[in-house]
PDB file of all heavy atoms in Angstrom:
ATOM      1  N   THR A 368      -4.936 -15.951   7.414  1.00 97.00           N
ATOM      2  CA  THR A 368      -4.592 -14.485   7.474  1.00 97.00           C
ATOM      3  C   THR A 368      -4.196 -13.877   6.117  1.00 97.00           C
ATOM      4  O   THR A 368      -3.431 -14.483   5.372  1.00 97.00           O
ATOM      5  CB  THR A 368      -3.442 -14.349   8.471  1.00 97.00           C
ATOM      6  OG1 THR A 368      -3.792 -14.964   9.694  1.00 97.00           O
ATOM      7  CG2 THR A 368      -3.177 -12.926   8.697  1.00 97.00           C
ATOM      8  N   ILE A 369      -4.813 -12.744   5.888  1.00 98.00           N
ATOM      9  CA  ILE A 369      -4.484 -11.860   4.773  1.00 98.00           C
ATOM     10  C   ILE A 369      -3.778 -10.613   5.343  1.00 98.00           C
ATOM     11  O   ILE A 369      -4.436  -9.924   6.174  1.00 98.00           O
ATOM     12  CB  ILE A 369      -5.610 -11.564   3.902  1.00 98.00           C
ATOM     13  CG1 ILE A 369      -6.213 -12.777   3.257  1.00 98.00           C
ATOM     14  CG2 ILE A 369      -5.215 -10.518   2.830  1.00 98.00           C
ATOM     15  CD1 ILE A 369      -7.510 -12.590   2.393  1.00 98.00           C
ATOM     16  N   LEU A 370      -2.696 -10.250   4.889  1.00 98.00           N
ATOM     17  CA  LEU A 370      -2.046  -8.898   5.192  1.00 98.00           C
ATOM     18  C   LEU A 370      -2.369  -7.985   3.953  1.00 98.00           C
ATOM     19  O   LEU A 370      -1.846  -8.388   2.822  1.00 98.00           O
ATOM     20  CB  LEU A 370      -0.521  -8.976   5.392  1.00 98.00           C
ATOM     21  CG  LEU A 370      -0.084  -9.736   6.687  1.00 98.00           C
ATOM     22  CD1 LEU A 370       1.401  -9.796   6.775  1.00 98.00           C
ATOM     23  CD2 LEU A 370      -0.646  -9.058   7.947  1.00 98.00           C
ATOM     24  N   CYS A 371      -3.067  -6.971   4.216  1.00 98.00           N
ATOM     25  CA  CYS A 371      -3.254  -5.977   3.116  1.00 98.00           C
ATOM     26  C   CYS A 371      -2.286  -4.915   3.216  1.00 98.00           C
ATOM     27  O   CYS A 371      -2.137  -4.144   4.238  1.00 98.00           O
ATOM     28  CB  CYS A 371      -4.720  -5.384   3.199  1.00 98.00           C
ATOM     29  SG  CYS A 371      -5.993  -6.536   2.713  1.00 98.00           S
ATOM     30  N   VAL A 372      -1.431  -4.689   2.082  1.00 98.00           N
ATOM     31  CA  VAL A 372      -0.366  -3.657   2.167  1.00 98.00           C
ATOM     32  C   VAL A 372      -0.660  -2.736   1.063  1.00 98.00           C
ATOM     33  O   VAL A 372      -1.221  -3.088   0.014  1.00 98.00           O
ATOM     34  CB  VAL A 372       1.011  -4.292   2.062  1.00 98.00           C
ATOM     35  CG1 VAL A 372       1.369  -5.087   3.371  1.00 98.00           C
ATOM     36  CG2 VAL A 372       1.152  -5.193   0.918  1.00 98.00           C
ATOM     37  N   GLY A 373      -0.169  -1.524   1.218  1.00 97.00           N
ATOM     38  CA  GLY A 373      -0.355  -0.537   0.185  1.00 97.00           C
ATOM     39  C   GLY A 373      -0.378   0.880   0.751  1.00 97.00           C
ATOM     40  O   GLY A 373       0.207   1.052   1.772  1.00 97.00           O
ATOM     41  N   TYR A 389     -11.420  -0.942   3.257  1.00 98.00           N
ATOM     42  CA  TYR A 389     -11.707  -2.100   2.487  1.00 98.00           C
ATOM     43  C   TYR A 389     -11.182  -3.400   3.100  1.00 98.00           C
ATOM     44  O   TYR A 389     -11.783  -4.470   3.008  1.00 98.00           O
ATOM     45  CB  TYR A 389     -11.157  -1.864   1.015  1.00 98.00           C
ATOM     46  CG  TYR A 389      -9.830  -2.582   0.626  1.00 98.00           C
ATOM     47  CD1 TYR A 389      -9.853  -3.916   0.452  1.00 98.00           C
ATOM     48  CD2 TYR A 389      -8.646  -1.934   0.472  1.00 98.00           C
ATOM     49  CE1 TYR A 389      -8.652  -4.597   0.096  1.00 98.00           C
ATOM     50  CE2 TYR A 389      -7.521  -2.516   0.143  1.00 98.00           C
ATOM     51  CZ  TYR A 389      -7.496  -3.911  -0.031  1.00 98.00           C
ATOM     52  OH  TYR A 389      -6.310  -4.611  -0.404  1.00 98.00           O
ATOM     53  N   ALA A 411      -2.549  -3.159   6.911  1.00 98.00           N
ATOM     54  CA  ALA A 411      -1.196  -2.711   7.151  1.00 98.00           C
ATOM     55  C   ALA A 411      -0.876  -1.609   6.155  1.00 98.00           C
ATOM     56  O   ALA A 411       0.297  -1.358   5.865  1.00 98.00           O
ATOM     57  CB  ALA A 411      -0.185  -3.836   7.072  1.00 98.00           C
ATOM     58  N   VAL A 421       6.892  -0.692   0.973  1.00 95.00           N
ATOM     59  CA  VAL A 421       6.140  -1.994   1.429  1.00 95.00           C
ATOM     60  C   VAL A 421       7.163  -3.133   1.404  1.00 95.00           C
ATOM     61  O   VAL A 421       6.947  -4.053   2.295  1.00 95.00           O
ATOM     62  CB  VAL A 421       5.046  -2.274   0.310  1.00 95.00           C
ATOM     63  CG1 VAL A 421       4.460  -3.680   0.451  1.00 95.00           C
ATOM     64  CG2 VAL A 421       3.964  -1.196   0.464  1.00 95.00           C
ATOM     65  N   LEU A 425       7.273  -5.319   4.790  1.00 97.00           N
ATOM     66  CA  LEU A 425       7.084  -6.850   4.857  1.00 97.00           C
ATOM     67  C   LEU A 425       8.254  -7.429   5.515  1.00 97.00           C
ATOM     68  O   LEU A 425       8.036  -8.284   6.418  1.00 97.00           O
ATOM     69  CB  LEU A 425       6.862  -7.358   3.428  1.00 97.00           C
ATOM     70  CG  LEU A 425       5.487  -7.062   2.837  1.00 97.00           C
ATOM     71  CD1 LEU A 425       5.587  -7.391   1.238  1.00 97.00           C
ATOM     72  CD2 LEU A 425       4.420  -7.764   3.521  1.00 97.00           C
ATOM     73  N   LEU A 429       6.236  -7.259   9.092  1.00 97.00           N
ATOM     74  CA  LEU A 429       4.962  -8.095   8.902  1.00 97.00           C
ATOM     75  C   LEU A 429       5.018  -9.535   8.707  1.00 97.00           C
ATOM     76  O   LEU A 429       4.166 -10.239   9.261  1.00 97.00           O
ATOM     77  CB  LEU A 429       4.127  -7.394   7.745  1.00 97.00           C
ATOM     78  CG  LEU A 429       3.746  -5.951   7.851  1.00 97.00           C
ATOM     79  CD1 LEU A 429       3.002  -5.577   6.631  1.00 97.00           C
ATOM     80  CD2 LEU A 429       2.807  -5.741   9.032  1.00 97.00           C
ATOM     81  N   LEU A 430       6.020 -10.007   8.060  1.00 96.00           N
ATOM     82  CA  LEU A 430       6.036 -11.466   7.703  1.00 96.00           C
ATOM     83  C   LEU A 430       6.287 -12.288   8.833  1.00 96.00           C
ATOM     84  O   LEU A 430       6.092 -13.537   8.823  1.00 96.00           O
ATOM     85  CB  LEU A 430       7.015 -11.680   6.605  1.00 96.00           C
ATOM     86  CG  LEU A 430       6.623 -11.122   5.225  1.00 96.00           C
ATOM     87  CD1 LEU A 430       7.786 -11.372   4.197  1.00 96.00           C
ATOM     88  CD2 LEU A 430       5.367 -11.739   4.682  1.00 96.00           C
ATOM     89  N   VAL A 432       4.418 -12.618  11.295  1.00 94.00           N
ATOM     90  CA  VAL A 432       3.113 -13.191  11.748  1.00 94.00           C
ATOM     91  C   VAL A 432       2.691 -14.368  10.855  1.00 94.00           C
ATOM     92  O   VAL A 432       1.643 -15.073  11.007  1.00 94.00           O
ATOM     93  CB  VAL A 432       2.011 -12.229  11.777  1.00 94.00           C
ATOM     94  CG1 VAL A 432       2.307 -11.086  12.662  1.00 94.00           C
ATOM     95  CG2 VAL A 432       1.586 -11.648  10.357  1.00 94.00           C
ATOM     96  N   ARG A 433       3.584 -14.778   9.811  1.00 94.00           N
ATOM     97  CA  ARG A 433       3.304 -15.976   9.009  1.00 94.00           C
ATOM     98  C   ARG A 433       1.924 -15.846   8.341  1.00 94.00           C
ATOM     99  O   ARG A 433       1.076 -16.795   8.575  1.00 94.00           O
ATOM    100  CB  ARG A 433       3.557 -17.219   9.734  1.00 94.00           C
ATOM    101  CG  ARG A 433       4.992 -17.337  10.310  1.00 94.00           C
ATOM    102  CD  ARG A 433       5.166 -18.628  11.098  1.00 94.00           C
ATOM    103  NE  ARG A 433       4.981 -19.801  10.328  1.00 94.00           N
ATOM    104  CZ  ARG A 433       5.853 -20.379   9.538  1.00 94.00           C
ATOM    105  NH1 ARG A 433       7.150 -19.844   9.504  1.00 94.00           N
ATOM    106  NH2 ARG A 433       5.699 -21.435   8.890  1.00 94.00           N
ATOM    107  N   PRO A 434       1.670 -14.961   7.521  1.00 96.00           N
ATOM    108  CA  PRO A 434       0.346 -14.882   6.882  1.00 96.00           C
ATOM    109  C   PRO A 434       0.199 -15.947   5.772  1.00 96.00           C
ATOM    110  O   PRO A 434       1.167 -16.500   5.302  1.00 96.00           O
ATOM    111  CB  PRO A 434       0.340 -13.419   6.213  1.00 96.00           C
ATOM    112  CG  PRO A 434       1.786 -13.197   5.871  1.00 96.00           C
ATOM    113  CD  PRO A 434       2.571 -13.780   7.089  1.00 96.00           C
ATOM    114  N   ASP A 435      -1.063 -16.206   5.405  1.00 96.00           N
ATOM    115  CA  ASP A 435      -1.320 -17.120   4.288  1.00 96.00           C
ATOM    116  C   ASP A 435      -1.255 -16.362   2.963  1.00 96.00           C
ATOM    117  O   ASP A 435      -0.685 -16.857   2.017  1.00 96.00           O
ATOM    118  CB  ASP A 435      -2.721 -17.734   4.451  1.00 96.00           C
ATOM    119  CG  ASP A 435      -2.812 -18.595   5.735  1.00 96.00           C
ATOM    120  OD1 ASP A 435      -2.482 -19.763   5.486  1.00 96.00           O
ATOM    121  OD2 ASP A 435      -3.232 -18.146   6.707  1.00 96.00           O
ATOM    122  N   TYR A 436      -1.681 -15.102   2.992  1.00 98.00           N
ATOM    123  CA  TYR A 436      -1.732 -14.278   1.827  1.00 98.00           C
ATOM    124  C   TYR A 436      -1.214 -12.846   2.125  1.00 98.00           C
ATOM    125  O   TYR A 436      -1.380 -12.365   3.217  1.00 98.00           O
ATOM    126  CB  TYR A 436      -3.134 -14.132   1.210  1.00 98.00           C
ATOM    127  CG  TYR A 436      -3.708 -15.463   0.766  1.00 98.00           C
ATOM    128  CD1 TYR A 436      -4.556 -16.194   1.605  1.00 98.00           C
ATOM    129  CD2 TYR A 436      -3.359 -15.961  -0.497  1.00 98.00           C
ATOM    130  CE1 TYR A 436      -5.152 -17.406   1.136  1.00 98.00           C
ATOM    131  CE2 TYR A 436      -3.890 -17.233  -0.900  1.00 98.00           C
ATOM    132  CZ  TYR A 436      -4.775 -17.906  -0.145  1.00 98.00           C
ATOM    133  OH  TYR A 436      -5.295 -19.054  -0.525  1.00 98.00           O
ATOM    134  N   VAL A 437      -0.563 -12.225   1.134  1.00 98.00           N
ATOM    135  CA  VAL A 437      -0.282 -10.785   1.178  1.00 98.00           C
ATOM    136  C   VAL A 437      -0.946 -10.204  -0.059  1.00 98.00           C
ATOM    137  O   VAL A 437      -0.742 -10.636  -1.200  1.00 98.00           O
ATOM    138  CB  VAL A 437       1.158 -10.540   1.056  1.00 98.00           C
ATOM    139  CG1 VAL A 437       1.505  -9.054   0.918  1.00 98.00           C
ATOM    140  CG2 VAL A 437       1.854 -11.075   2.401  1.00 98.00           C
ATOM    141  N   VAL A 438      -1.898  -9.302   0.167  1.00 98.00           N
ATOM    142  CA  VAL A 438      -2.683  -8.640  -0.925  1.00 98.00           C
ATOM    143  C   VAL A 438      -2.071  -7.170  -0.970  1.00 98.00           C
ATOM    144  O   VAL A 438      -2.143  -6.472  -0.031  1.00 98.00           O
ATOM    145  CB  VAL A 438      -4.145  -8.591  -0.603  1.00 98.00           C
ATOM    146  CG1 VAL A 438      -4.846  -7.804  -1.616  1.00 98.00           C
ATOM    147  CG2 VAL A 438      -4.689 -10.063  -0.662  1.00 98.00           C
ATOM    148  N   ALA A 439      -1.503  -6.889  -2.086  1.00 98.00           N
ATOM    149  CA  ALA A 439      -0.785  -5.572  -2.382  1.00 98.00           C
ATOM    150  C   ALA A 439      -1.527  -4.710  -3.343  1.00 98.00           C
ATOM    151  O   ALA A 439      -1.900  -5.223  -4.439  1.00 98.00           O
ATOM    152  CB  ALA A 439       0.653  -5.782  -2.790  1.00 98.00           C
ATOM    153  N   MET A 440      -1.694  -3.427  -3.017  1.00 97.00           N
ATOM    154  CA  MET A 440      -2.397  -2.515  -3.949  1.00 97.00           C
ATOM    155  C   MET A 440      -1.545  -1.152  -3.876  1.00 97.00           C
ATOM    156  O   MET A 440      -1.682  -0.382  -2.954  1.00 97.00           O
ATOM    157  CB  MET A 440      -3.786  -2.256  -3.603  1.00 97.00           C
ATOM    158  CG  MET A 440      -4.568  -1.335  -4.640  1.00 97.00           C
ATOM    159  SD  MET A 440      -6.348  -1.362  -4.402  1.00 97.00           S
ATOM    160  CE  MET A 440      -6.509  -0.391  -2.835  1.00 97.00           C
ATOM    161  N   ASP A 441      -0.668  -0.917  -4.908  1.00 90.00           N
ATOM    162  CA  ASP A 441       0.313   0.183  -4.865  1.00 90.00           C
ATOM    163  C   ASP A 441       0.435   0.921  -6.173  1.00 90.00           C
ATOM    164  O   ASP A 441       1.270   1.806  -6.246  1.00 90.00           O
ATOM    165  CB  ASP A 441       1.723  -0.366  -4.447  1.00 90.00           C
ATOM    166  CG  ASP A 441       1.879  -0.631  -3.013  1.00 90.00           C
ATOM    167  OD1 ASP A 441       1.650   0.322  -2.237  1.00 90.00           O
ATOM    168  OD2 ASP A 441       2.110  -1.755  -2.673  1.00 90.00           O
ATOM    169  N   MET A 525       8.942  -8.287  -3.551  1.00 97.00           N
ATOM    170  CA  MET A 525       7.875  -8.696  -2.747  1.00 97.00           C
ATOM    171  C   MET A 525       7.572 -10.097  -3.012  1.00 97.00           C
ATOM    172  O   MET A 525       7.229 -10.892  -2.035  1.00 97.00           O
ATOM    173  CB  MET A 525       6.623  -7.827  -3.141  1.00 97.00           C
ATOM    174  CG  MET A 525       6.713  -6.379  -2.766  1.00 97.00           C
ATOM    175  SD  MET A 525       5.323  -5.329  -3.315  1.00 97.00           S
ATOM    176  CE  MET A 525       3.902  -6.208  -2.485  1.00 97.00           C
ATOM    177  N   GLU A 526       7.637 -10.557  -4.214  1.00 97.00           N
ATOM    178  CA  GLU A 526       7.395 -11.981  -4.474  1.00 97.00           C
ATOM    179  C   GLU A 526       8.367 -12.838  -3.736  1.00 97.00           C
ATOM    180  O   GLU A 526       8.035 -13.845  -3.139  1.00 97.00           O
ATOM    181  CB  GLU A 526       7.527 -12.280  -6.003  1.00 97.00           C
ATOM    182  CG  GLU A 526       7.355 -13.710  -6.299  1.00 97.00           C
ATOM    183  CD  GLU A 526       7.639 -14.090  -7.720  1.00 97.00           C
ATOM    184  OE1 GLU A 526       8.464 -13.389  -8.355  1.00 97.00           O
ATOM    185  OE2 GLU A 526       7.222 -15.132  -8.210  1.00 97.00           O
ATOM    186  N   LEU A 528      10.153 -12.246  -0.981  1.00 97.00           N
ATOM    187  CA  LEU A 528       9.919 -12.132   0.442  1.00 97.00           C
ATOM    188  C   LEU A 528       8.720 -13.001   0.906  1.00 97.00           C
ATOM    189  O   LEU A 528       8.844 -13.773   1.859  1.00 97.00           O
ATOM    190  CB  LEU A 528       9.726 -10.693   0.923  1.00 97.00           C
ATOM    191  CG  LEU A 528      10.995  -9.849   0.898  1.00 97.00           C
ATOM    192  CD1 LEU A 528      10.647  -8.373   1.121  1.00 97.00           C
ATOM    193  CD2 LEU A 528      12.010 -10.420   1.946  1.00 97.00           C
ATOM    194  N   THR A 529       7.576 -12.911   0.113  1.00 97.00           N
ATOM    195  CA  THR A 529       6.421 -13.609   0.562  1.00 97.00           C
ATOM    196  C   THR A 529       6.617 -15.087   0.375  1.00 97.00           C
ATOM    197  O   THR A 529       6.141 -15.832   1.185  1.00 97.00           O
ATOM    198  CB  THR A 529       5.179 -13.052  -0.237  1.00 97.00           C
ATOM    199  OG1 THR A 529       5.502 -13.094  -1.596  1.00 97.00           O
ATOM    200  CG2 THR A 529       4.840 -11.652   0.116  1.00 97.00           C
ATOM    201  N   SER A 530       7.202 -15.455  -0.703  1.00 96.00           N
ATOM    202  CA  SER A 530       7.416 -16.852  -0.934  1.00 96.00           C
ATOM    203  C   SER A 530       8.324 -17.438   0.059  1.00 96.00           C
ATOM    204  O   SER A 530       8.159 -18.563   0.585  1.00 96.00           O
ATOM    205  CB  SER A 530       8.042 -17.006  -2.424  1.00 96.00           C
ATOM    206  OG  SER A 530       8.350 -18.395  -2.599  1.00 96.00           O
ATOM    207  N   ALA A 532       8.517 -16.664   3.089  1.00 95.00           N
ATOM    208  CA  ALA A 532       7.790 -16.745   4.295  1.00 95.00           C
ATOM    209  C   ALA A 532       6.656 -17.792   4.263  1.00 95.00           C
ATOM    210  O   ALA A 532       5.937 -17.956   5.243  1.00 95.00           O
ATOM    211  CB  ALA A 532       7.175 -15.345   4.678  1.00 95.00           C
ATOM    212  N   GLY A 533       6.557 -18.392   3.130  1.00 95.00           N
ATOM    213  CA  GLY A 533       5.496 -19.350   2.994  1.00 95.00           C
ATOM    214  C   GLY A 533       4.128 -18.836   2.703  1.00 95.00           C
ATOM    215  O   GLY A 533       3.092 -19.486   2.837  1.00 95.00           O
ATOM    216  N   ALA A 534       4.172 -17.658   2.309  1.00 96.00           N
ATOM    217  CA  ALA A 534       2.833 -16.872   1.903  1.00 96.00           C
ATOM    218  C   ALA A 534       2.656 -16.800   0.451  1.00 96.00           C
ATOM    219  O   ALA A 534       3.549 -16.842  -0.287  1.00 96.00           O
ATOM    220  CB  ALA A 534       2.852 -15.560   2.604  1.00 96.00           C
ATOM    221  N   SER A 535       1.448 -16.568   0.050  1.00 97.00           N
ATOM    222  CA  SER A 535       1.067 -16.377  -1.398  1.00 97.00           C
ATOM    223  C   SER A 535       0.800 -14.939  -1.611  1.00 97.00           C
ATOM    224  O   SER A 535       0.103 -14.254  -0.867  1.00 97.00           O
ATOM    225  CB  SER A 535      -0.185 -17.169  -1.790  1.00 97.00           C
ATOM    226  OG  SER A 535       0.057 -18.543  -1.720  1.00 97.00           O
ATOM    227  N   LEU A 536       1.424 -14.386  -2.659  1.00 98.00           N
ATOM    228  CA  LEU A 536       1.358 -12.998  -2.943  1.00 98.00           C
ATOM    229  C   LEU A 536       0.137 -12.766  -3.994  1.00 98.00           C
ATOM    230  O   LEU A 536       0.033 -13.531  -4.974  1.00 98.00           O
ATOM    231  CB  LEU A 536       2.651 -12.461  -3.591  1.00 98.00           C
ATOM    232  CG  LEU A 536       2.658 -10.958  -4.009  1.00 98.00           C
ATOM    233  CD1 LEU A 536       2.414 -10.011  -2.836  1.00 98.00           C
ATOM    234  CD2 LEU A 536       4.050 -10.638  -4.668  1.00 98.00           C
ATOM    235  N   ILE A 537      -0.635 -11.669  -3.730  1.00 98.00           N
ATOM    236  CA  ILE A 537      -1.693 -11.351  -4.669  1.00 98.00           C
ATOM    237  C   ILE A 537      -1.694  -9.851  -4.917  1.00 98.00           C
ATOM    238  O   ILE A 537      -1.537  -9.115  -3.911  1.00 98.00           O
ATOM    239  CB  ILE A 537      -3.105 -11.786  -4.067  1.00 98.00           C
ATOM    240  CG1 ILE A 537      -3.164 -13.328  -3.798  1.00 98.00           C
ATOM    241  CG2 ILE A 537      -4.182 -11.323  -4.989  1.00 98.00           C
ATOM    242  CD1 ILE A 537      -4.461 -13.694  -3.096  1.00 98.00           C
ATOM    243  N   PHE A 538      -1.814  -9.432  -6.161  1.00 98.00           N
ATOM    244  CA  PHE A 538      -1.882  -7.983  -6.459  1.00 98.00           C
ATOM    245  C   PHE A 538      -3.270  -7.596  -6.779  1.00 98.00           C
ATOM    246  O   PHE A 538      -4.000  -8.432  -7.296  1.00 98.00           O
ATOM    247  CB  PHE A 538      -0.958  -7.699  -7.596  1.00 98.00           C
ATOM    248  CG  PHE A 538       0.512  -7.713  -7.252  1.00 98.00           C
ATOM    249  CD1 PHE A 538       1.417  -8.685  -7.631  1.00 98.00           C
ATOM    250  CD2 PHE A 538       1.095  -6.628  -6.507  1.00 98.00           C
ATOM    251  CE1 PHE A 538       2.717  -8.720  -7.239  1.00 98.00           C
ATOM    252  CE2 PHE A 538       2.467  -6.640  -6.118  1.00 98.00           C
ATOM    253  CZ  PHE A 538       3.210  -7.698  -6.472  1.00 98.00           C
ATOM    254  N   VAL A 539      -3.646  -6.359  -6.519  1.00 98.00           N
ATOM    255  CA  VAL A 539      -4.871  -5.787  -6.980  1.00 98.00           C
ATOM    256  C   VAL A 539      -4.686  -4.763  -8.028  1.00 98.00           C
ATOM    257  O   VAL A 539      -3.749  -3.855  -7.874  1.00 98.00           O
ATOM    258  CB  VAL A 539      -5.564  -5.042  -5.677  1.00 98.00           C
ATOM    259  CG1 VAL A 539      -6.810  -4.419  -6.131  1.00 98.00           C
ATOM    260  CG2 VAL A 539      -5.853  -6.045  -4.590  1.00 98.00           C
ATOM    261  N   ILE A 572       1.265 -15.003 -10.822  1.00 98.00           N
ATOM    262  CA  ILE A 572       0.863 -14.423  -9.517  1.00 98.00           C
ATOM    263  C   ILE A 572      -0.508 -13.894  -9.870  1.00 98.00           C
ATOM    264  O   ILE A 572      -0.855 -13.192 -10.807  1.00 98.00           O
ATOM    265  CB  ILE A 572       1.770 -13.236  -9.087  1.00 98.00           C
ATOM    266  CG1 ILE A 572       3.176 -13.789  -8.793  1.00 98.00           C
ATOM    267  CG2 ILE A 572       1.232 -12.499  -7.893  1.00 98.00           C
ATOM    268  CD1 ILE A 572       4.213 -12.718  -8.506  1.00 98.00           C
ATOM    269  N   PRO A 573      -1.484 -14.095  -8.911  1.00 98.00           N
ATOM    270  CA  PRO A 573      -2.893 -13.655  -9.216  1.00 98.00           C
ATOM    271  C   PRO A 573      -2.918 -12.108  -9.222  1.00 98.00           C
ATOM    272  O   PRO A 573      -2.321 -11.465  -8.419  1.00 98.00           O
ATOM    273  CB  PRO A 573      -3.670 -14.232  -8.036  1.00 98.00           C
ATOM    274  CG  PRO A 573      -2.820 -15.362  -7.511  1.00 98.00           C
ATOM    275  CD  PRO A 573      -1.426 -15.034  -7.763  1.00 98.00           C
ATOM    276  N   LEU A 575      -5.955  -9.458  -9.044  1.00 98.00           N
ATOM    277  CA  LEU A 575      -7.327  -9.336  -8.832  1.00 98.00           C
ATOM    278  C   LEU A 575      -7.946  -8.151  -9.657  1.00 98.00           C
ATOM    279  O   LEU A 575      -7.342  -7.021  -9.644  1.00 98.00           O
ATOM    280  CB  LEU A 575      -7.661  -9.129  -7.433  1.00 98.00           C
ATOM    281  CG  LEU A 575      -7.139 -10.153  -6.360  1.00 98.00           C
ATOM    282  CD1 LEU A 575      -7.610  -9.809  -4.904  1.00 98.00           C
ATOM    283  CD2 LEU A 575      -7.576 -11.577  -6.809  1.00 98.00           C
ATOM    284  N   ILE A 610     -10.598 -13.873  -4.263  1.00 98.00           N
ATOM    285  CA  ILE A 610      -9.764 -14.470  -3.310  1.00 98.00           C
ATOM    286  C   ILE A 610     -10.134 -15.850  -2.917  1.00 98.00           C
ATOM    287  O   ILE A 610      -9.341 -16.829  -2.726  1.00 98.00           O
ATOM    288  CB  ILE A 610      -9.626 -13.520  -2.026  1.00 98.00           C
ATOM    289  CG1 ILE A 610      -8.933 -12.308  -2.421  1.00 98.00           C
ATOM    290  CG2 ILE A 610      -8.878 -14.285  -0.935  1.00 98.00           C
ATOM    291  CD1 ILE A 610      -8.896 -11.231  -1.330  1.00 98.00           C
ATOM    292  N   ARG A 617      -5.452 -23.226  -3.860  1.00 81.00           N
ATOM    293  CA  ARG A 617      -4.107 -23.068  -3.326  1.00 81.00           C
ATOM    294  C   ARG A 617      -3.571 -24.416  -2.671  1.00 81.00           C
ATOM    295  O   ARG A 617      -4.292 -25.180  -2.108  1.00 81.00           O
ATOM    296  CB  ARG A 617      -4.160 -22.000  -2.214  1.00 81.00           C
ATOM    297  CG  ARG A 617      -2.776 -21.709  -1.515  1.00 81.00           C
ATOM    298  CD  ARG A 617      -2.980 -20.556  -0.544  1.00 81.00           C
ATOM    299  NE  ARG A 617      -1.684 -20.091  -0.063  1.00 81.00           N
ATOM    300  CZ  ARG A 617      -1.297 -20.281   1.213  1.00 81.00           C
ATOM    301  NH1 ARG A 617      -2.006 -20.986   2.045  1.00 81.00           N
ATOM    302  NH2 ARG A 617      -0.168 -19.845   1.649  1.00 81.00           N
TER     303      ARG A 617
END
Side-chain angles (χ1 to χ4, degrees):
T368 307
I369 295 175
L370 292 178
C371 288
V372 294
Y389 105 73
V421 168
L425 287 168
L429 294 180
L430 290 176
V432 300
R433 299 177 65 84
D435 295 275
Y436 297 98
V437 172
V438 173
M440 188 170 72
D441 281 299
M525 288 177 65
E526 179 194 18
L528 288 170
T529 53
S530 177
S535 295
L536 178 61
I537 299 173
F538 287 103
V539 177
I572 297 173
L575 304 184
I610 291 173
R617 185 177 187 251

